[in-house]
Amino acid sequence: PYSDRTQVTIDYLSSGAFNGIGKKTASKIVAITGADIFSFIQKPEAKEILKKEISELKIDSLFQTLRNTFQTKMAMDYIGQFGGDYTHAARITQQCPINSVDVLKSNCYKLGMDAGLSFFVCDSIAHHEGYFAYDERRIAALLNVALSRISAGGHTCSDIDSLCSKIENI
């Protein structure tokens, strides 16, 4: 009889998302790590502790998947408050697997828009992070959005008045 959190962790680890980890191995892992697997893997000695009970190949797969999942969760927690969703968080993590939230904060327009976030979501993040209205990253993003809209209309060039008009309507 496991606690609810422990059972959830065992079910998660044996869900098929982790190569070679079934119920038995998942139960061994949780017996060592406790229910909060994400906190456990942050410990410098975590791999050494697990090596006593689990093969190195399974440990490497486990850590890689957990780290990716953790980064995606952190990205989702952050962008969710601005209107981003899990798909965007997964794309952000794919593009920037390490410190994705910090990278997003430092250039939300580039990473965010590459991941499919709208200009408005990126702008909300930028405002939250204290970017200035005339920040060059924001201006570049505005120009890219305007030029994309112009080219989507079938145009390959634009005069300055049309470009400014598009920017005003973003």
Side-chain angles (χ1 to χ4, degrees):
Y2 296 114
S3 73
D4 288 344
R5 284 191 68 206
T6 300
Q7 189 60 55
V8 166
T9 305
I10 291 170
D11 291 346
Y12 171 59
L13 293 175
S14 62
S15 68
F18 302 90
N19 291 336
I21 298 178
K23 285 268 189 207
K24 185 177 176 184
T25 304
S27 295
K28 279 185 188 179
I29 292 169
V30 174
I32 297 166
T33 67
D36 188 357
I37 189 88
F38 290 110
S39 292
F40 179 83
I41 69 163
Q42 303 302 316
K43 296 178 183 178
E45 69 278 8
K47 281 188 177 185
E48 289 302 316
I49 293 169
L50 285 172
K51 279 183 187 177
K52 297 172 186 167
E53 296 290 327
I54 296 140
S55 75
E56 197 163 339
L57 188 62
K58 287 181 184 178
I59 292 170
D60 289 341
S61 172
L62 172 73
F63 274 59
Q64 181 65 36
T65 304
L66 284 173
R67 284 194 176 115
N68 289 345
T69 303
F70 185 68
Q71 285 294 319
T72 302
K73 179 198 176 308
M74 295 209 22
M76 181 59 228
D77 289 348
Y78 183 72
I79 67 170
Q81 63 187 314
F82 304 105
D85 62 23
Y86 181 81
T87 302
H88 297 119
R91 288 182 191 152
I92 288 167
T93 305
Q94 270 183 328
Q95 291 177 28
C96 186
I98 299 170
N99 299 325
S100 54
V101 173
D102 291 337
V103 173
L104 180 65
K105 287 177 179 180
S106 71
N107 196 347
C108 57
Y109 294 105
K110 173 74 175 120
L111 182 56
M113 291 176 75
D114 285 353
L117 288 173
S118 72
F119 173 81
F120 301 106
V121 170
C122 294
D123 215 29
S124 294
I125 293 169
H127 180 72
H128 182 269
E129 293 302 322
Y131 288 44
F132 293 107
Y134 297 107
D135 187 292
E136 66 184 45
R137 296 166 290 189
R138 184 174 191 267
I139 302 301
L142 277 167
L143 285 169
N144 281 331
V145 170
L147 291 171
S148 292
R149 290 182 180 178
I150 290 168
S151 67
H155 303 286
T156 57
C157 63
S158 174
D159 60 71
I160 193 72
D161 291 332
S162 296
L163 181 61
C164 289
S165 176
K166 284 288 185 198
I167 291 171
E168 286 175 0
N169 291 317
I170 292 177

